[in-house]
Amino acid sequence: MKFEGTKNYIATEDLKVAVNAAITLERPIIVKGEPGTGKTMLAHEVAQAIGCEIITWHIKSTTKAQQGLYEYDAVTRLRDSQLGDEKVKDIKNYISKGKLWNAFENEKRPVLLIDEIDKADIEFPNDLLLELDKMEFFVYETGETIKAVNRPIVIITSNNEKELPDAFLRRCFFHYIKFPEAETMEEIVNVHFPNIKKDLISEAFKIFYDIRDVPGVKKKPSTSELIDWLKLLMTDDVDAKTLKEKDPKKLIPPLHGALLKNEQDVHLFERLAFIARRENESID
Amino acid sequence: MFLNFFFDLKQAQLPVSLKEYLMLMEAMDKRVITSFNVNDFYFLSRSALIKDERHLDKFDKVFGHSFKGLENKSETTEAEIPEEWLRLMGQKYLSDEEKKLVESLGGWDKLMETLKQRLEEQKKRHQGGSKWIGTGGTSPFGAYGYNPEGIRIGQKESRNKKAVKVWDKREFKNLDGDVELGTRNIKVALRRLRKFAREGADTELDLDGTIKSTAHKGYIDVKMMPERRNKIKVLIFFDVGGSMDAHVKICEELFSAAKTEFKHMEYFYYHNCLYDYVWKENKRRYNEHMSTWDVLHTYPSDYKVIFVGDAEMSPYEITYPGGSTEYWNEESGETWLSRTLSVYENAIWLNPVPKQYWNRIASTNILQQIFSNRMFPLTIDGIDQAMRELNKS
């Protein structure tokens, strides 16, 4: 069982090593990185590459660790007891399984994606420490222990909004998806748009990396934004020549809305364009 | 061999533990990497041992040191060189021989053109003033545009004139925790300072309490409780004007992060050192100010106090009455500071000046003493430590 990237996902060498280490050692892997570099995608692609089911658990600010294990519906049981329902005698009827339980009892080894773990309360990862380490937990209501049939491949993503506790990190592998270099980026684009014109790509790339290098841009455009932008360029049939035009009057790239998502960034860009234009005029 | 590597990491103060080392050994034992390639080992060890992108840069350095016998550059010299200087060095020291080498590596004709153009540009600019190099270097618009490949030359020629090894590239450099970053990261650091408590009116359903009480009484008995809130109260004093102008951006970031993070936050401005009055509006500071005595009496002692300032001034401004640069102060800044510290048990000083310069500045040393070493650098790490300090009570 080895992950080598898929048709739709270009994995760098270091990412492959990290994912394979996590798979072999049956330990969780934490994936961090700039937004839009394909953290969540990774889990889906690993599942596809290995050919197994994916169970996703999206974390919100209100999510509690217990919800991932199971929930005991006391209110329904109380109501049923007042109505004299037969069901009420078996407590099992009121226990709903969480994502972790689902993953543990899966016959075939599944991929469990815990998405954006940093959204939850600061104590959340600590509450899952033992469960993820031993891959088992105890159900107090019924007195049974749920143990993983096959230890799932656990992929955890984080956007760095909160720091994760050391004890939790010690049990995991860690990978930081750095922003792809131009070569990797070209492979990624090729995977998404096999028929795109070569010159369009190289011009678009230049603009893209230039924008990323502008100091002071609040939200740097990322891979997913580049792909959206290329899509727009293709549907609008913008050719490489238009992009290449170094006319200082047109310094803001066409369809920039896909790349710059922040009002201030667009302003910054317009201002820089204005300065550049003035400099050009004074040189003339 | 690996054990030495592990101790090297420890010595570089990277937070690695035995558990992680054993995990790495287990991975080696189970043949996660089969190629016995040093690159793969680097990837594997990085993934197993390092759990925070802030440490990646340090890790790369230690790895390079342990496995290649490379000279480990000392922390300080590495950190102090601004990127522009490196770029400039790259251009200055590029001999003809090395230019050929670069050509043989990739044959980047275009790169060479821009480089030559740049070198000419640089000579002119250099006479005009060194500041120009930076502005020319970062313009993204082609006119003076810096080719990103150019930066790489700078690194290559300083190394062993061969393709750079992965860890030598040190691509994670700007993620180091000592670098000031945007408000988001500051907020994360400020979050250390949290104390939740349920106070005020009963507005939320207390589910557990309701169930318990219902079971106890035999009929549905609804219980309510107050909402959980962060009850930390913060009082921040910002130094404004003069030498602080250079640090305006980071102070703004800290201010906006603190404003959203703390519900109870009060702020005041002062100049250089705290004297008998502070103000809230910089434009009207001569007319509308608040006596420091009033501040000390208005805000109770459970407020956490943060001073933000570069602590750079003449020592007399702190220690002598009348030392203020603006008016005649009856009592010395030191008196006022100690007075504040005696009211507020939890108080710290955040300093935007990098820590390595502190001991050369007399006024900073005096303030460190007054604050009994509770001065922290205004970086993410510094804020983090400062918040831990404030949490002690």
Side-chain angles (χ1 to χ4, degrees):
Chain A
M1 211 146 53
K2 256 205 147 87
F3 176 64
E4 294 287 352
T6 62
K7 282 212 303 291
N8 306 317
Y9 192 87
I10 304 294
T12 50
E13 205 53 48
D14 47 347
L15 178 63
K16 279 184 223 166
V17 171
V19 170
N20 284 327
I23 293 175
T24 318
L25 264 61
E26 305 182 325
R27 286 222 170 75
I29 175 164
I30 294 180
V31 186
K32 274 200 207 170
E34 272 182 49
T37 38
K39 295 186 291 288
T40 309
M41 259 267 273
L42 173 72
H44 290 272
E45 296 302 326
V46 169
Q48 207 193 26
I50 296 170
C52 58
E53 198 190 329
I54 176 155
I55 295 169
T56 48
W57 184 16
H58 294 285
I59 308 299
K60 289 185 244 165
S61 62
T62 51
T63 308
K64 295 263 162 356
Q66 184 65 30
Q67 293 167 349
L69 310 176
Y70 66 91
E71 276 178 296
Y72 169 49
D73 190 352
V75 177
T76 312
R77 191 168 187 220
L78 186 68
R79 195 192 59 208
D80 283 357
S81 78
Q82 293 189 327
L83 295 172
D85 198 314
E86 267 308 293
K87 257 172 44 181
V88 82
K89 292 200 173 113
D90 191 357
I91 199 163
K92 271 192 187 146
N93 292 324
Y94 301 96
I95 287 180
S96 51
K97 295 174 186 174
K99 299 279 184 193
L100 240 62
W101 193 330
N102 285 333
F104 284 179
E105 65 177 8
N106 218 311
E107 290 292 305
K108 208 168 160 242
R109 194 178 173 194
V111 171
L112 173 65
L113 166 66
I114 304 181
D115 207 6
E116 312 202 20
I117 195 164
D118 52 328
K119 294 278 177 296
D121 191 76
I122 260 166
E123 287 305 320
F124 179 87
N126 276 337
D127 295 345
L128 284 178
L129 220 53
L130 194 71
E131 284 74 8
L132 287 178
D133 205 23
K134 295 253 187 293
M135 296 276 182
E136 63 175 52
F137 61 89
F138 185 72
V139 185
Y140 293 94
E141 281 77 3
T142 57
E144 58 182 328
T145 304
I146 307 296
K147 207 169 161 28
V149 187
N150 292 301
R151 288 173 72 100
I153 302 164
V154 183
I155 298 180
I156 300 165
T157 71
S158 164
N159 273 327
N160 225 356
E161 280 188 30
K162 287 190 193 84
E163 264 184 65
L164 301 172
D166 287 344
F168 182 75
L169 290 172
R170 244 176 257 138
R171 289 166 166 80
C172 307
F173 281 96
F174 173 83
H175 185 75
Y176 182 83
I177 301 190
K178 62 171 192 285
F179 197 80
E181 287 167 5
E183 296 147 37
T184 321
M185 191 57 105
E186 218 170 301
E187 282 180 57
I188 294 172
V189 170
N190 278 336
V191 156
H192 287 268
F193 310 108
N195 302 322
I196 198 164
K197 283 167 264 170
K198 266 264 157 340
D199 46 344
L200 179 70
I201 288 200
S202 56
E203 280 313 313
F205 268 27
K206 217 175 147 305
I207 294 180
F208 174 71
Y209 279 98
D210 276 352
I211 292 186
R212 277 184 63 86
D213 280 346
V214 175
V217 172
K218 291 229 153 136
K219 164 79 179 77
K220 286 186 179 177
S222 65
T223 319
S224 60
E225 272 130 16
L226 172 68
I227 287 171
D228 285 348
W229 185 52
L230 286 175
K231 216 185 274 170
L232 283 175
L233 288 179
M234 279 169 79
T235 40
D236 264 35
D237 219 12
V238 178
D239 56 357
K241 238 200 228 148
T242 331
L243 290 181
K244 221 183 220 156
E245 248 178 286
K246 278 282 171 269
D247 184 358
K249 282 182 187 105
K250 292 180 187 160
L251 271 171
I252 297 187
L255 304 163
H256 62 267
L259 289 177
L260 300 168
K261 299 276 175 73
N262 192 313
E263 225 175 275
Q264 284 145 305
D265 287 350
V266 178
H267 281 316
L268 174 78
F269 235 77
E270 279 166 353
R271 218 164 49 228
L272 285 173
F274 177 72
I275 294 168
R277 195 181 313 160
R278 212 170 41 187
E279 274 181 12
N280 261 26
E281 275 163 12
S282 63
I283 287 169
D284 296 344
Chain B
M1 178 185 188
F2 292 157
L3 213 56
N4 277 341
F5 173 49
F6 179 70
F7 285 121
D8 281 349
L9 289 172
K10 270 260 178 231
Q11 201 150 30
Q13 295 185 333
L14 283 160
V16 286
S17 67
L18 191 61
K19 189 169 172 85
E20 282 149 334
Y21 180 68
L22 289 176
M23 193 156 100
L24 175 65
M25 290 303 109
E26 194 186 336
M28 295 299 283
D29 189 40
K30 288 200 176 154
R31 298 280 182 275
V32 170
I33 46 170
T34 44
S35 52
F36 296 104
N37 174 336
V38 66
N39 263 357
D40 282 351
F41 176 71
Y42 161 70
F43 291 145
L44 180 67
S45 53
R46 192 180 73 189
S47 166
L49 297 169
I50 300 301
K51 303 296 160 66
D52 193 330
E53 64 273 21
R54 282 178 300 182
H55 302 311
L56 288 174
D57 184 47
K58 243 190 226 165
F59 176 80
D60 286 358
K61 267 195 262 180
V62 177
F63 192 93
H65 177 68
S66 310
F67 288 96
K68 260 173 76 190
L70 269 180
E71 276 303 307
N72 198 6
K73 286 193 174 176
S74 86
E75 268 285 308
T76 43
T77 51
E78 191 71 29
E80 275 174 25
I81 299 173
E83 213 179 62
E84 294 100 290
W85 291 20
L86 272 180
R87 294 186 199 175
L88 180 68
M89 295 281 272
Q91 290 150 358
K92 260 189 180 169
Y93 291 138
L94 217 62
S95 68
D96 285 346
E97 197 185 323
E98 278 160 334
K99 279 181 197 163
K100 263 181 216 154
L101 188 77
V102 173
E103 247 169 349
S104 76
L105 277 173
W108 300 322
D109 293 350
K110 205 170 156 258
L111 172 70
M112 293 314 297
E113 257 176 49
T114 25
L115 199 68
K116 272 178 202 157
Q117 197 186 323
R118 180 131 300 274
L119 275 167
E120 284 164 14
E121 188 97 40
Q122 215 69 271
K123 273 178 211 154
K124 282 184 222 154
R125 287 284 157 87
H126 199 65
Q127 292 160 345
S130 58
K131 213 180 168 184
W132 276 101
I133 299 151
T135 45
T138 45
S139 163
F141 293 112
Y144 311 122
Y146 208 99
N147 195 322
E149 285 148 333
I151 302 165
R152 266 196 223 151
I153 305 175
Q155 285 178 355
K156 270 183 185 155
E157 63 91 28
S158 71
R159 295 285 177 187
N160 43 13
K161 298 180 185 171
K162 275 184 184 170
V164 193
K165 292 273 182 300
V166 190
W167 51 90
D168 273 352
K169 281 207 265 177
R170 298 188 43 209
E171 289 163 14
F172 296 100
K173 182 151 187 171
N174 52 0
L175 295 170
D176 204 304
D178 298 329
V179 181
E180 289 95 336
L181 293 164
T183 54
R184 201 175 189 76
N185 298 43
I186 297 179
K187 276 185 212 162
V188 175
L190 288 178
R191 270 184 203 174
R192 286 235 174 262
L193 195 57
R194 267 181 166 183
K195 212 168 253 172
F196 283 113
R198 295 185 183 279
E199 272 174 1
D202 294 346
T203 50
E204 272 184 355
L205 174 71
D206 176 6
L207 193 59
D208 289 341
T210 306
I211 291 170
K212 210 169 177 178
S213 150
T214 303
H216 190 72
K217 291 184 175 155
Y219 59 87
I220 298 210
D221 182 31
V222 176
K223 291 270 180 231
M224 302 292 279
M225 63 180 169
E227 200 186 325
R228 219 166 66 117
R229 286 204 184 95
N230 191 359
K231 66 159 196 177
I232 285 289
K233 291 180 274 188
V234 185
L235 188 56
I236 308 187
F237 295 95
F238 285 98
D239 184 357
V240 281
S243 54
M244 278 305 281
D245 287 349
H247 309 292
V248 157
K249 186 163 179 272
I250 179 81
C251 288
E252 276 176 350
E253 283 178 354
L254 175 74
F255 181 63
S256 68
K259 233 177 159 175
T260 47
E261 203 46 49
F262 304 120
K263 270 217 175 93
H264 308 281
M265 187 194 102
E266 284 297 337
Y267 65 94
F268 292 99
Y269 295 108
Y270 66 96
H271 184 62
N272 277 1
C273 189
L274 185 74
Y275 303 113
D276 43 332
Y277 69 85
V278 291
W279 58 94
K280 275 206 124 160
E281 188 86 45
N282 276 314
K283 268 184 199 155
R284 284 171 287 167
R285 68 168 164 140
Y286 294 107
N287 310 323
E288 293 177 23
H289 49 238
M290 189 166 175
S291 141
T292 308
W293 271 124
D294 287 347
V295 175
L296 299 186
H297 290 146
T298 311
Y299 302 102
S301 61
D302 61 343
Y303 267 82
K304 315 259 179 191
V305 173
I306 302 173
F307 279 87
V308 182
D310 59 359
E312 261 179 273
M313 62 199 103
S314 145
Y316 303 114
E317 291 180 46
I318 307 175
T319 47
Y320 278 86
S324 167
T325 49
E326 296 196 308
Y327 69 107
W328 183 265
N329 52 312
E330 293 294 333
E331 286 170 297
S332 71
E334 188 176 1
T335 315
W336 280 108
L337 283 171
S338 341
R339 210 168 261 160
T340 314
L341 291 182
S342 67
V343 173
Y344 303 104
E345 193 185 339
N346 292 301
I348 52 107
W349 186 293
L350 285 175
N351 192 338
V353 177
K355 201 173 179 178
Q356 65 260 38
Y357 302 120
W358 290 2
N359 52 10
R360 292 179 219 156
I361 305 166
S363 56
T364 311
N365 283 330
I366 298 171
L367 286 172
Q368 265 287 31
Q369 266 173 28
I370 297 175
F371 273 80
S372 21
N373 288 323
R374 282 176 296 174
M375 183 183 280
F376 301 92
L378 187 43
T379 57
I380 303 302
D381 272 359
I383 297 176
D384 199 86
Q385 287 164 24
M387 295 305 121
R388 278 171 207 262
E389 177 64 44
L390 282 182
N391 242 343
K392 289 180 198 161
S393 54

